[in-house]
Amino acid sequence: STGAAAAVPAGAWKARRRPFVPAAVAVVLAAGAFMAGRNIGRGGTAGAGASIESFQQITDTAGVETSPTLSPDGKTVVFESDRGGSVQIYTQRVGSRTATALTSGPDNSAPAFASDGERIAFRSERDGGGVFLMAASGESVTRVADEGYSPSWSPNGNELVLARGPLPSPNDVSASTPGLIAVEISSGRKREVLKGTQVAMQPAWSPHGQRIAFFALQPGTGQRDIFTVAADGSAVDAAPIEVTNDPPLDWNPVWSPDGGYLYFSSNRGGTMNLWRVAINEATGKTLGTPEAVTTPAAYAGRIAFSRDGAVMAYASLDWRSTLLRQPFDPVRGQNVGPPTPMIKSTRPIRDHAVSPDGQWVVFNETTPQEDLIVSRVDGREYRRLTDDPARDRGPAWAPDGQTIYFYSDRSGRYELWKIRPDGSPPQVMTKDSNSNFPVVSPDGRRVAISGVSATGMQIRDTSLGPEAPNTFEPAPGSGEILWPFSWSRDDRLLGIVVTSRGTIAGVSEYDVARKQYRVVPAEYRAFVMPRWLQDGRRFLIRGPAGIDLVDAATGARRQVTAVRGYMIGGSLGVSTDGTWYSYTETGTEGDIWIARISK
């Protein structure tokens, strides 16, 4: 979920479900955006030397169409979509409104055309998962590698460069194995392109085969920047070359077909839009400062070019969240009536926490910057607690309702912070701890914070300052850490166990006094967020499909609420008396656009 310190398991935040934006509304909004794009784009400049002649929205089906790849001639776009209830790859002629599915079955994503236009590489979850090839018609599917994500072709079509982990979203980089690998198509032989500790995402091979661009976290921070590394592996152990190094969120690097520019998506202009920077392809040295390539979208990324650079495809994304309150009978374990909205936001809500008295809610939004906001549960007395480029996440109330704990990279790396609900200046509570997701004990005297890898979980006295030494609890098992999310009244922590490769080993509880773990006999393969009920025997858990009630002793579980939309953060709260719980529902609409460029 965060930076170097935030190990979000594979598939953590993005639950691929059919969004709930009404189709008619989506079409109206799309039409408005299309006309705005024509008016803005025609004849407008996209940085010195590039001119966007026109924008065309080519998909308008309810759901999320994303990750486009263009055929070399720019006449066909292939993309992923969840329109059918699962993520599949579709092909569509530019100018047509009809898309044809190329895949079926388990999720298939991240298509990439080879330079010959005859082959498509893609990620698939079939047969245990991996990277596969298929013909442009969807036929002749073969496995290339049993691992890897976001494939990018070498210019000669002989190799693919792969990320070692998935990309749920640029805000949430999974803690998978760091580095990049290249795979030879003919033999399946792998070689290291980048080692080190950086979890490199979205690799992109340069058009003359010299370098590979990617985005990653600056070491020890949550700052996302663009880098390049030599494609031949000659600098596999060296530090990559920086393209950007500043606070904005930079991701999705893609080379212009002539190798003279590196395009990327960034929120440096206030919204998530497209930028480019002149670059020396051979050395990776930038030749200027980033310049805007503005599209008619509040959120744009997933860039692709035709071979001649005259056609660019990209994906737009619009998401907004509602925070809901669901009445609940904790004895019978059943909902009591329908949910009611507490907060309706025009932006995605990632994390939230309800005050102990049930009167206030604190939450953070993810776009355009990650700030903490507090309001009454009915939306009144809304006020912003933070307002800066720092990533402020995971708020948790102290039992007296006078302090809000959260984690933030405002000091340069993720640490534990606290702030009063009146918006007084925040205070740092840890130093060099790589803190994440604080969980406060029922008496308010201790706070549990999760880390990654060898750092593991800490339980700190809330009266201690940042100079107090970091002490860590025993690990659940070799190479595992516990991410606690709930603290019971009898001093047990409940959370998920994550392996060093970023995958979920299961749900566990930790007896704080005895320093002992016990595995809850229930299997989860996607990110989940458990919260104890008052009895300390059952808990509610938020997963990709909805909210389940689980018996901690037996692992028996049943769904109590189906949740629509994307699982942005998987936020879940339970009232102090257990008579209601709160959760976010995020509606998402994504579409593919074509921009025609004159030079």
Side-chain angles (χ1 to χ4, degrees), residues 25-152:
V25 175
V27 170
V28 171
L29 292 174
F34 172 57
M35 292 308 298
R38 292 179 61 90
N39 294 334
I40 294 170
R42 189 169 297 278
T45 60
S51 178
I52 305 294
E53 290 186 343
S54 64
F55 291 97
Q56 179 186 5
Q57 182 179 336
I58 66 169
T59 65
D60 55 18
T61 302
V64 176
E65 284 79 48
T66 189
S67 300
T69 180
L70 278 168
S71 61
D73 61 10
K75 295 181 179 180
T76 300
V77 62
V78 171
F79 56 91
E80 65 177 80
S81 174
D82 63 359
R83 63 180 64 184
S86 63
V87 181
Q88 301 299 336
I89 296 173
Y90 292 78
T91 184
Q92 182 172 323
R93 296 289 287 178
V94 174
S96 169
R97 290 291 180 179
T98 302
T100 302
L102 296 179
T103 61
S104 60
D107 285 357
N108 299 277
S109 59
F113 260 114
S115 58
D116 59 14
E118 299 295 328
R119 297 170 295 168
I120 296 172
F122 63 102
R123 167 74 192 188
S124 179
E125 305 311 313
R126 69 186 72 191
D127 302 327
V131 175
F132 293 75
L133 294 184
M134 64 180 169
S137 62
E139 300 171 310
S140 305
V141 177
T142 58
R143 185 194 295 271
V144 176
D146 58 2
E147 64 172 321
Y149 299 81
S150 304
S152 175

Side-chain angles (χ1 to χ4, degrees), residues 41-291:
R42 189 169 297 278
T45 60
S51 178
I52 305 294
E53 290 186 343
S54 64
F55 291 97
Q56 179 186 5
Q57 182 179 336
I58 66 169
T59 65
D60 55 18
T61 302
V64 176
E65 284 79 48
T66 189
S67 300
T69 180
L70 278 168
S71 61
D73 61 10
K75 295 181 179 180
T76 300
V77 62
V78 171
F79 56 91
E80 65 177 80
S81 174
D82 63 359
R83 63 180 64 184
S86 63
V87 181
Q88 301 299 336
I89 296 173
Y90 292 78
T91 184
Q92 182 172 323
R93 296 289 287 178
V94 174
S96 169
R97 290 291 180 179
T98 302
T100 302
L102 296 179
T103 61
S104 60
D107 285 357
N108 299 277
S109 59
F113 260 114
S115 58
D116 59 14
E118 299 295 328
R119 297 170 295 168
I120 296 172
F122 63 102
R123 167 74 192 188
S124 179
E125 305 311 313
R126 69 186 72 191
D127 302 327
V131 175
F132 293 75
L133 294 184
M134 64 180 169
S137 62
E139 300 171 310
S140 305
V141 177
T142 58
R143 185 194 295 271
V144 176
D146 58 2
E147 64 172 321
Y149 299 81
S150 304
S152 175
W153 289 87
S154 63
N156 60 16
N158 293 336
E159 290 184 289
L160 291 168
V161 62
L162 308 174
R164 303 297 289 269
L167 178 66
S169 82
N171 296 86
D172 299 295
V173 175
S174 67
S176 300
T177 305
L180 297 171
I181 57 172
V183 179
E184 187 176 56
I185 301 297
S186 59
S187 67
R189 184 167 56 247
K190 300 174 185 176
R191 64 180 177 87
E192 298 281 352
V193 175
L194 175 70
K195 292 183 180 178
T197 60
Q198 285 183 305
V199 179
M201 312 303 293
Q202 292 183 302
W205 218 308
S206 70
H208 299 99
Q210 296 166 302
R211 301 194 71 79
I212 291 170
F214 60 94
F215 94 89
L217 305 176
Q218 289 285 357
T221 77
Q223 181 174 303
R224 286 117 168 101
D225 282 312
I226 307 295
F227 303 82
T228 71
V229 66
D232 61 6
S234 58
V236 65
D237 293 310
I241 303 299
E242 291 180 344
V243 176
T244 64
N245 185 350
D246 47 30
L249 194 166
D250 301 327
W251 63 292
N252 187 205
V254 174
W255 299 86
S256 62
D258 62 6
Y261 286 90
L262 195 61
Y263 284 72
F264 60 98
S265 187
S266 176
N267 63 357
R268 61 185 54 235
T271 62
M272 191 64 73
N273 225 300
L274 305 188
W275 292 73
R276 72 175 192 174
V277 63
I279 193 169
N280 183 315
E281 182 187 351
T283 66
K285 181 180 179 180
T286 57
L287 304 177
T289 58
E291 53 192 33

